[in-house]
Each structure stands twice: as structure tokens, then as C-alpha cells.
Amino acid sequence: REAGRKTYIPVMSGENKLSWQVKDLIPNCEYYFRVKAVNKIGGGDYLELRNPIIAEDPKQPPDPPVDLEVHNPTSKSVTLTWKPPLFDGGSKIMGYIIEKLAKGKERWERCNDYLVPLLTYTVKGLEEGKEYQFRVRAENAAGISEPSRITPFVKAVDPIEAPKVFLAANLQSGLEVKRGDEIILEAHISGSPYPSITWLRNDEVIRPEDIKKRVTAPKKKKGEAEEEKPFQLSLPERMSVDNHKEGESILSVRDSIRADHGTFTIKVENDHGVAKASCEVNVLDTPGPPVNFVFEDLRKNSVICKWEPPLDDGGSEILNYVLEKKDNTKAEMGWVTVSSTLRHCKFHVTKLIEGKEYLFRVFAENRVGAGPPCVSKPMTAKDPFSPPDAPNKPDVEDVTSNSMLVKWNEPKDNGSPIIGYWIEKREINSTHWARVNRNLVNSLEVKVEGLLEGLTYIFRVCAENAAGPGKFSPPSDPKTAQDPIMPPGPPIPRIADTSATSIELEWQPPAYNGGGDITGYHVYKQLMGVNEWSRCTAKPIKVLQFTVGEVREGADYKLRVTALNAAGEGPPGETEPATVAEPKEPPTVELDVSVKAGIQVMAGQTIKIPATVTGRPAPTIVWAIEEGELDKDRVVIENVGTKSELTIKNALRKDHGRYVITATNSSGSKSAGTRVEVFDVPGPVLDLKPVVTNRKMCLLNWSDPEDDGGSDIIGFIVERKDAKMHTWRLAVDTDRSKCDITGLIEGQEYKFRVSAKNKFGTGPPVEIGPILAVDPLVVPGPPSCPEVKDKTKSSVALAWKPPQKDGGSPIKGYIVEMQDEGSTEWKKVNEGDKLFPTCECVIPNL
């Protein structure tokens, strides 16, 4: 009958067969079937299907996928592509299963937890340096296909490719923007491993920065000229770099200013090389102010104005200059244009009014516009004729107890020849200047006599021309009236130290400096047995110590030191003979006070053990760990001078122990040590297994982790999830090494995982499953008492009902035994090991 109807239709009757082909069914329609046996007495009970059958063509597993290929292998992953099976088995392909086999292993491992619906998949979690083979299976409703052909071995290593970089096509010949526009530089990058990216400007690294808070400048006092400088953010504060898209880097600078111009360079680097690409960026702006505005050939009604081009042309050629003038005697008078089409940096201004004071300013113009002006100093229109300038500061020489020679240079005469000079003197503690000469001096020096011995004098000079005397020069340096000084006495030297290649010499200044300051010292050496002394210093030294080099080990030397002052070099001070040899000092080792009492760090932190080591000759330094060996790939030891430091980054649990530093030289050996403790979360639990499983609960048992992370285990976290679900949920938090998990659904598969805890956190979980929630199998119960359904003179037909409990597994068959009347022995009716498959049988040959 159809599933939607209640009436059965006969399809076969009276045939002595155990199977029958039913025809003329409607495709995809659901049907129920029933069958009964008939003998000469009549028909028995119907055996009816519990579930309907869909009329559809038979399905079978698909063919294997084809054309499996490997792409883009790296140290951690590889991408696979394939084509679908040639035949899908009569049912839609639901997805694909990817399997991998490591070289040297025998068992294939599944790579994907869930079916892959696409024709590509990236296998992750590979071990670097290992070789793998891959294969793919297809799955439809009927089952899983045979595997595809196996790929050749693929090694999990990153591809090697030197970095490359090139700028966008529009930047190849440079970039030109106007002030205020955004500078955008786009670069395209390749390389494996993917290179690091650095942007530079004028060979200096630039990186974006946050906008800093500006300090407000103090207000200027009333009357002071205020110079308004426009507020500008620095280049790093206006810059951004976009590297989020692999293979591309974009640098942008908003609100560009003229100072941003220069050579921008992108540098990319990986383990296999470095590549650069540069772009000249020009920011167009108005030019800066012209510089060095000066006047030439000043007359009462004209002047030549001269200037130099701006230091910055604004990134564009200077087209012309605009010169303006202003009457500086009248504040209300504005600026008047003298010329606005000047091509050169010089112009002869005429029609000035004698005696008036003028200001001039000049602008530079480029194709962007006119820049800020350069304003001249005030200029009075008059003929160039004035008293001479002041000479420079005079020099004083040939000092004696009553005279000095004063010299000076010739100053600018300001249009009229100099006719002579006036010289004045002043005792340093006095406020009164006294004239030295009664008449003008025509030379550039004069000997001043009649000075008082012991007093200190300064001198000044002024020049005179037809316009009168000019300003006085700055005063000379003070000089004391005293006779010339004598060479200094001998210093007092001593040998401070020796080595195999040098001698350390120290000395005290001479008791008598000869009347003048000591300006330096010379050091000499003499090899014993040789009469000649050789000087060790190329020029006088001012310090009171010197290291004498270029000496022979084991030889004896004498050293001497001489002092110098303005009068020359004095007599030497000499040492006793010294032997060139390395002093011997036994080594000393001192750990830093911060680590003496021990070091405690968490895993992942850095271990640092600093120590100070001394000794002569310099000791050899060896670091070691008791009851183990140092991990040379992770331990870094730095020895600088007397400092030695052991560093281990990203500390592991195995790094704990007592670390010892030993220093050794020819005079002995010395050691010092400290204890290092590394704490971490506990390791994975051991021997996780289900002890009891039934349809409602599961009892798990496990052992403590091998590594407790340096702290006592305080408990365990047990989690569970349905085998087909993604999310783990907390089942129980326990402090025992077993857990009774209840509330399971019969027939459902579950996965469980257990993690250990200590005071530093939770360790990695250990997973088990899937585990089916069913009762354990037991033997079935007894069938019902057999009934005799039919009998003949030589046979009996028996029937019985199945047992009420099948023991958790379908009944495979039945064993029938019989007993002769009057006998106590039961005999097996079944032939050999055969079972009766149904609840009836015929016993022949009675």
C-alpha cells in the first residue's frame, strides 16, 4: 500500500518463494509491504515493514576524485585542488574527505573534521621540514568512495623568493603636488617569506606618529616684535601607511607642506635579500624670502639694492622679483612698487630724497605665486662719508714689568682715508680710561711704556678720518705687567700599572710652574741598556696620566715626564726601571644582588643573570647548568669588559635549575651560582580512559600530568560535546582524578576532554572519543516455551516467541535442544554451528 493510504493491494499470491519483484511503482513514492505464509490449514499472521520504502533507483558510493594537485606549499600548510568523480554513484556528492600520510608513517590521518564542499582545501598544521603525501575521497548518501591517486611527497617548507618592490607607473618619473594636496605613494611588493616594509625619506626611516599636544608659546611683552609662525604638524603626524593588503603598501601624507619634498624610498627585506624603490616628491609652494639684502654705492638720491635668491624656490623656477620701497619716517605711508618685472637680483633705485630714511623689501615669484618678502634694514639717503668703523679687539704682546706692545687691524674707513689712531689704557680694577698717545699714531701698533709692575691692564683703539674719530674697539684681553715666565720644574711620576703590552704612568704637577700656567706634558721612554730616549706623545697632553705602548714584554724601561708652559719645556721627572709584564690576579665572580637569592619567572618571560668578573689576565668565562646542558640555540651569553650576562628569552619549564658561572685564569678558578625556577600551567593529564559507559552516563578515569608546572595540581576541568557539534560545554570541575558524567542521551556519540589546573592556570586538554552512549552487551534472555505447530510420524514443527530482552544486540539465531522421554540428557538439534534464524523450526528424522 502507499504510505498515504490504508488499503493493501495484493501483488503476489500462492507462490512458494521467499522473494518477489514488485513492479509498476510510482517513482519517489513511499510504500508499505506485508507478507504472510499459507499452508493447507490456512494463513498465518502478516509480517509488516515498520518503516516505508521509497521507490527510487539504487545508490552506490561515488567514484574516486581525479586530478589531485598540490599548490603553494609552506612550512605550515599546503593547498590541494581536485576534480569531481567521473560518476557520482547516482547521488549528489555531499563533500570530500582529505587524508595525509607523513613520510615514514604507515597510517593515513584525516585532515578535515567536516566534509569539504569545494574542490580545494588548505591543509594546515604541518610540521616544518617533514614530507607528506595526500589523497581525497568523495562521499554521497550511499557512502565514501575509494581514495584518489596519491600525490608525490611534498616537503613542508616555505618557498624561497627574494623580495621585489616597484612603485606605481605614475610614480616612475617622480611625483609633483601642490601645497595642501595629499601625497600618495603606492608600491607593489612580492617575496617569500613576505618581506618586512620600511618607508624612508631622504634615507631616514619615517613612521606614523600620534598628534602631540602643543605647548602654547608665552606671550611676548608689549613693544616686542611678534613673529607669527604658522602651526604645522610634523610629517610623521600627518602620515599614514596602509599595509593591510598583501602585496601592496600605500604611504599617504595629508595637508602637504613645502618641507615634505624629498626622496621617498620603500625598503622591503626578508631572509633572502633587500629591495628598494625610490620616488622624488616635489611639493610646489610659493618661494621663500630672498636673502642677504644689501645696499651698494649709496648716494644722496640713489642706491643699488642687491639680494640673493631664496634658499627655497618652492619647487618651481623663480620667474621674477618684485621690489618695493617705503618712507620709514612716516608711519602712515604705505609700500610703493619700484619694479615688478625684475629678472636679476640687483636693481638701481633712483629719485630718492636726501636725508630720508627708507625701507626696501623684495618678493620672489614662481608659477605658484609670490612668497614672503625679505625686508632690508633702514637706509638713509646720503653720501657715503662717515667716521671709520671700530678696529677689532687689539692684541697685546712682548709683556715686561713696565711695557707692552699693542697691535690692531685697520678698520673700514667709511669713505674717507684714515689719518691715525688713538689708544687708551685702563687698569682692570679702575673705571677710568687714560689716553696713551698725545698725537695720532699712523702705524698699526704702539709700545706702551711707564706701566706699573704687577698691575693688570686692558687697551682699546679708535680710528680717525676727515669725519672725525670713530668708535673704540672692544677692549683687549687683560695682561699683567711682569717679566717673561721661566720653564716649569720637573713633574713627579710613578708607575701605576703594567701589562704584557703597555705601562700605565701617572704623575703630579711640578712644584714650580715657572711663573706661567702649565700648558701640557710630554712622556718619554728608554729601554734599559740603550742610551737614547724616545718621545711617546705626539703633542702635549693636559691629563696627568698616559699609557705607554709599543714596548716589549719582559723588557725593562725607564720613563720620564716633562712639563710645558709659555716659556717652553722644563726638566724631566724620571721613574725607576719597570718590567713590562702582565700582573697576576686570581679571578673573582660576583652575581648581581638581584639574582643571588634565586630567580622565579613564568614560562614565556625572559631569564637574565648578570655577573661581574675580574682577574688578571682576563679570565675565561663558562656558564653551565647543574644536572643538565644549556640549550645553545636559546641561551645568549654576552661578555663585555668585566660584565657577563646570561639571557634566555621565552623561558620554558625545562630551563629551571641551578645556573653556575665559572671564571678561570692562570691564577685559579672561581664560581658562583643561583637557582632559577620556571613556573607554568600543568601539562596534559595521562591515561584518560572510560571505565564505565552505559546509555545514561560515562565514568572517566585519568592520572595526574607528568609536569605539574611547578605548583600543586588544584583540580581538573572536564568538558564534553556531541561528536557532531563544535562547542564544548563545562560538564564538571573536580579535584579528583575521575569523573562521573550523567545526563547522556542513549545512542548519541560524545567526546570528552580533561585539563589540569594549578595556581598559574589551566593546562592543555586531553581529548577522548567519540564514545557511544549505550548499555554494555549481555547475553539475551530466554525465548518463550516452544509450541508444537505441526507434527508427522517422523517430524515436528515448533514455534516460539523471541526473548523479552535481546542483551543490547540483535538476536543472531536460536539453538534448539531435545530430550528423549525417560532420559535426562539434552541433545542439540542444530546441524553443527548453524543457528535457526527465525522463531520456528522443523525437527526431522524422529
Side-chain angles (χ1 to χ4, degrees), residues 367-431:
R367 59 189 171 100
V368 177
C374 173
V375 182
S376 72
K377 293 180 180 179
M379 181 276 299
T380 302
K382 63 179 182 179
D383 288 328
F385 196 76
S386 60
D389 289 348
N392 288 345
K393 183 171 72 172
D395 293 328
V396 179
E397 300 176 356
D398 298 342
V399 178
T400 69
S401 60
N402 59 4
S403 67
M404 298 181 189
L405 181 63
V406 181
K407 295 183 176 181
W408 59 90
N409 71 308
E410 183 177 0
K412 186 176 179 182
D413 61 10
N414 291 331
S416 177
I418 293 175
I419 58 177
Y421 298 90
W422 296 105
I423 301 92
E424 291 184 346
K425 67 180 179 182
R426 177 167 72 85
E427 203 276 320
I428 193 68
N429 295 319
S430 172
T431 58

Side-chain angles (χ1 to χ4, degrees), residues 167-281:
L167 296 171
N170 63 321
L171 304 175
Q172 299 296 326
S173 58
L175 177 65
E176 188 173 84
V177 298
K178 286 189 175 180
R179 183 181 186 276
D181 291 347
E182 187 174 12
I183 300 171
I184 299 178
L185 302 177
E186 180 179 348
H188 301 280
I189 301 156
S190 65
S192 183
Y194 192 75
S196 62
I197 301 170
T198 306
W199 283 93
L200 305 94
R201 176 179 173 272
N202 297 335
D203 296 328
E204 291 186 3
V205 175
I206 52 174
R207 294 185 177 90
E209 293 179 0
D210 294 333
I211 297 177
K212 303 181 181 70
K213 185 176 180 181
R214 259 49 183 191
V215 179
T216 305
K219 291 186 178 180
K220 300 210 177 232
K221 293 181 181 178
K222 191 173 181 180
E224 290 187 14
E226 290 194 14
E227 186 178 347
E228 289 284 339
K229 286 191 177 180
F231 171 73
Q232 295 286 356
L233 294 174
S234 66
L235 175 64
E237 292 172 315
R238 292 180 285 110
M239 182 184 83
S240 64
V241 176
D242 183 2
N243 292 331
H244 81 278
K245 185 176 180 182
E246 186 167 330
E248 185 175 280
S249 180
I250 300 175
L251 180 143
S252 57
V253 180
R254 66 182 184 276
D255 303 329
S256 62
I257 59 176
R258 173 62 186 152
D260 295 338
H261 75 281
T263 303
F264 285 74
T265 303
I266 180 172
K267 182 176 81 169
V268 297
E269 182 176 5
N270 67 10
D271 295 340
H272 309 294
V274 179
K276 294 182 180 180
S278 298
C279 176
E280 292 289 339
V281 176

Side-chain angles (χ1 to χ4, degrees), residues 591 608-611 613 621-625 630 635-639 644-646 659-662 672-674:
L591 290 176
K608 284 193 175 182
I609 309 177
V613 180
I621 299 173
V622 176
W623 285 87
I625 182 171
L630 293 178
V635 174
V636 178
I637 296 173
E638 292 186 355
N639 296 320
S644 180
E645 183 174 74
L646 180 143
Y659 286 76
V660 178
I661 177 174
T662 303
T674 186

Side-chain angles (χ1 to χ4, degrees), residues 67 80 157 175 358 378 410:
D67 296 342
L80 305 176
V157 293
L175 177 65
Y358 291 91
E410 183 177 0

Side-chain angles (χ1 to χ4, degrees), residues 661-692:
I661 177 174
T662 303
T664 306
N665 65 8
S666 57
S667 298
S669 180
K670 185 72 173 179
S671 298
T674 186
R675 184 77 185 175
V676 175
E677 295 290 345
V678 182
F679 299 114
D680 198 359
V681 298
V685 299
L686 304 175
D687 301 328
L688 175 62
K689 59 188 176 183
V691 178
V692 178

Side-chain angles (χ1 to χ4, degrees), residues 143-159:
I144 301 173
S145 73
E146 291 297 316
S148 67
R149 69 170 183 82
I150 300 172
T151 65
F153 278 107
V154 178
K155 195 168 187 178
V157 293
D158 287 322

Side-chain angles (χ1 to χ4, degrees), residues 10-26:
V11 293
M12 184 271 282
S13 178
E15 298 289 340
N16 188 16
K17 294 183 179 180
L18 296 179
S19 65
W20 189 258
Q21 183 177 10
V22 183
K23 299 181 180 179
D24 300 326
L25 300 180
I26 300 171

Side-chain angles (χ1 to χ4, degrees), residues 266-468:
I266 180 172
K267 182 176 81 169
V268 297
E269 182 176 5
N270 67 10
D271 295 340
H272 309 294
V274 179
K276 294 182 180 180
S278 298
C279 176
E280 292 289 339
V281 176
N282 185 19
V283 181
L284 296 178
D285 196 0
T286 56
V291 295
N292 298 335
F293 194 108
V294 296
F295 299 109
E296 292 183 353
D297 196 17
L298 176 63
R299 295 288 184 265
K300 62 184 178 180
N301 54 13
S302 68
V303 69
I304 295 176
C305 295
K306 192 175 181 181
W307 59 90
E308 294 180 7
L311 300 177
D312 181 10
D313 63 4
S316 177
E317 179 187 2
I318 301 297
L319 300 177
N320 67 284
Y321 296 90
V322 178
L323 181 64
E324 297 178 346
K325 70 178 180 180
K326 178 182 179 181
D327 186 350
N328 202 34
T329 58
K330 298 180 180 179
E332 67 276 6
M333 297 295 289
W335 290 95
V336 178
T337 301
V338 178
S339 177
S340 60
T341 58
L342 298 177
R343 299 285 295 173
H344 303 290
C345 298
K346 188 176 182 180
F347 188 73
H348 189 194
V349 182
T350 59
K351 298 181 181 179
L352 300 180
I353 300 173
E354 185 177 5
K356 275 197 173 185
E357 186 178 74
Y358 291 91
L359 283 177
F360 290 87
R361 69 180 183 185
V362 61
F363 303 84
E365 286 186 340
N366 61 10
R367 59 189 171 100
V368 177
C374 173
V375 182
S376 72
K377 293 180 180 179
M379 181 276 299
T380 302
K382 63 179 182 179
D383 288 328
F385 196 76
S386 60
D389 289 348
N392 288 345
K393 183 171 72 172
D395 293 328
V396 179
E397 300 176 356
D398 298 342
V399 178
T400 69
S401 60
N402 59 4
S403 67
M404 298 181 189
L405 181 63
V406 181
K407 295 183 176 181
W408 59 90
N409 71 308
E410 183 177 0
K412 186 176 179 182
D413 61 10
N414 291 331
S416 177
I418 293 175
I419 58 177
Y421 298 90
W422 296 105
I423 301 92
E424 291 184 346
K425 67 180 179 182
R426 177 167 72 85
E427 203 276 320
I428 193 68
N429 295 319
S430 172
T431 58
H432 174 69
W433 287 94
R435 182 164 288 183
V436 171
N437 54 323
R438 294 184 178 181
N439 301 312
L440 285 169
V441 174
N442 291 323
S443 64
L444 295 176
E445 63 178 40
V446 66
K447 186 174 184 180
V448 181
E449 296 182 334
L451 303 178
L452 299 177
E453 185 175 3
L455 295 183
T456 302
Y457 294 89
I458 55 175
F459 300 88
R460 66 182 185 182
V461 181
C462 74
E464 185 175 332
N465 63 6

